[in-house]
Amino acid sequence: MYLRKTQRRNGDGSVVRYLQLANNRRLNGTTQAEVLVNLGREDKLDVAALRRLVASINRYLGDEDDVTLPLGTETGPLTVEQARPFGAIWLLDQLWHTLEVDKALAKVLGPRRFRTDIERIIFALVANRAVAPSSKLAAAEWITHTVAIPGLDHADKDQAMRAMDLLAGADAQSEVQQAVFFAAANLLNLEVDLILFDSTSTYFERDGEPEPDTDDEPGLRRFGHSKDHRRDLPQIVIGLAVTREGIPVRCWVWPGNTNDMTVLEQVKDDLRDWRLGRVVTVVDSGFSSRENMAYLQRAGGHYICGVKMRDGSAESREAMSRQGRYLQVRDNLRVKEVKLAADQGRRWIICHNPIEAERDQARRQVQLQAITAELDRIAAARTAHAAKAKAKAAQQGKKKTPRPSDAPHRKAECALRDHPSLGRWLKQHPTTGRLSIDAAKVKAEANYDGKYLIATSDPDLSPEDIALGYKNLLQAEAAFRTMKTTLDLRPVYHRLDERIVAHVLLCWLALLLIRVAERRTGQTWPSINRELGRVHQVTLSGPAGRLQQTTKLTPSQAQLYKDCAVALPPKMSGLQPAE
């Protein structure tokens, strides 16, 4: 390792020399100079101190000293100050710049000046969600004491909260999401003709709803239908739009008591402002009201939506009664288009999954066996109870056996009838009040095994494309699973609405970065994070100065960076000669 000089001649004939930290590397039988760090102009550097520092580095690495030092110059040994995880952070930072999130934030922040680098704080919080999710206080300590963040040495809780407040501004969140979306679409060549939308809820670790300041601003934390099965806690509703490749393009936050049927108009309007052109929106059956579907068709848009088949609607009954042959799309998917006389404005597609049909049949059989066993147990207990009462009456010499009370057995039958999953297969006889399996209900449900119904307004898509487009809705569900597990979206501890929104936006940005990494590498983020988490940045110091050195990459680690099309971490950085 040695100091390397380069020079540039100005127009006036003067020469400017620059210093670089370089290392000789043998490649294909020839020795080539590899520049590790560009140090700057020679006339603005302490060259003697740099020479002493390079000599210390060579001594630490066990290499021969390539730098000629003045006689009697003492360099001293280098000591290790600290070693911090760096590999996964470096990958996220490179993707952050590639997707131009930093430029989007700079545009939003404008000419305002801050004592801290707000963009770096926001990136550090996003990286924390992806690498080691924690609270904002713990995240500040993680940034300061645990990991190496490029361009950021330390952070505290107040700086994190300030950055979140700026990110959650109405103009900021819209502009950032739009800028990031178009940068990602151009970079990844995303197909944005199909937008998948779904919603979920996440809860707070608080006892109740906050008291509203005014009737017009009730706040986000509200009780509602919890998709996390936590009706005892207040919550918010989160909407997410993703592409067919699973890349999240936008997110929304609504109060916890928001009905799914009421949000599609805002989703449609917000995406229309981006002027995406002809877009087909894919939604689940929870959004399939006629008003929503009509709104999605505005401005030339179209929709693909799921329709509930077991709700007894006229459309589902008519669709199931139509005859026709199924078209084999894949091993586990067959489709059939049917026409309904009652609705000429929409196309209807029945999808059949043979594998799922077998699962439905197996689950139903298990439930029926459990019901039969319970009914037999109740009947046996009733018979035993009656026999015991008859024997007791005979022992007492009574000529007429009193009718035994069957209150315990009635209670068991009522519990079985009201069971959330088993009660649907039972019927109660009007005269005796006894329970039995409803054979007609079982036969009717068997017709729906492995089937689901799709409606669309697009006149050009083939039934195969419609079915596959709807199956892509699984990408939105997978995104929510990742946000709730890998990124620890829930539970939320923030109180202010703007910080609640910022928390969701940080999770959305983290999801965007890890989805890009997964798409480029073909590996899951936990495996990428685990492998690159072994790459550390080591800080070395000595009498001549200090620097950061990155641990040597393994072939698998280098391949991950190569697959993501980002630069490898620098071998040496932060070179600081002693003053």
Side-chain angles (χ1 to χ4, degrees), residues 482-502:
T482 301
M483 291 179 72
K484 291 183 178 182
T485 56
T486 305
L487 305 180
D488 278 1
L489 171 68
R490 63 184 181 188
V492 185
Y493 294 93
H494 297 287
R495 300 183 179 184
L496 301 179
D497 285 354
E498 57 269 21
R499 290 178 183 170
I500 295 171
V501 174

Side-chain angles (χ1 to χ4, degrees), residues 249-371:
V249 295
R250 184 151 187 169
C251 65
W252 294 264
V253 181
W254 297 291
N257 57 358
T258 303
N259 191 321
D260 284 347
M261 290 291 185
T262 63
V263 302
L264 271 189
E265 291 188 9
Q266 179 183 349
V267 173
K268 171 70 174 178
D269 293 341
D270 290 345
L271 292 178
R272 185 179 59 227
D273 292 341
W274 289 4
R275 299 178 182 177
L276 300 178
R278 181 183 180 276
V279 173
V280 179
T281 307
V282 184
V283 295
D284 207 347
S285 57
F287 305 92
S288 59
S289 67
R290 287 187 175 272
E291 293 77 10
N292 282 338
M293 299 302 100
Y295 202 85
L296 290 178
Q297 286 184 267
R298 292 189 179 185
H302 288 288
Y303 64 83
I304 298 174
C305 72
V307 179
K308 295 180 180 179
M309 297 187 68
R310 293 175 171 85
D311 60 353
S313 64
E315 290 87 354
S316 62
R317 291 196 303 269
E318 185 178 357
M320 289 299 296
S321 65
R322 291 288 187 252
Q323 301 295 322
R325 292 186 176 181
Y326 283 98
L327 173 66
Q328 191 75 30
V329 176
R330 293 180 180 176
D331 293 339
N332 62 339
L333 180 60
R334 303 190 303 162
V335 298
K336 176 177 65 174
E337 182 171 1
V338 296
K339 295 182 179 180
L340 304 186
D343 193 346
Q344 299 293 338
R346 294 195 284 181
R347 298 171 61 195
W348 301 83
I349 309 296
I350 298 178
C351 301
H352 178 246
N353 186 336
I355 299 176
E356 187 63 27
E358 294 178 359
R359 294 196 189 104
D360 291 342
Q361 183 179 5
R363 283 193 293 265
R364 183 172 60 255
Q365 192 63 30
V366 170
Q367 292 177 344
L368 293 177
Q369 291 175 357
I371 292 173

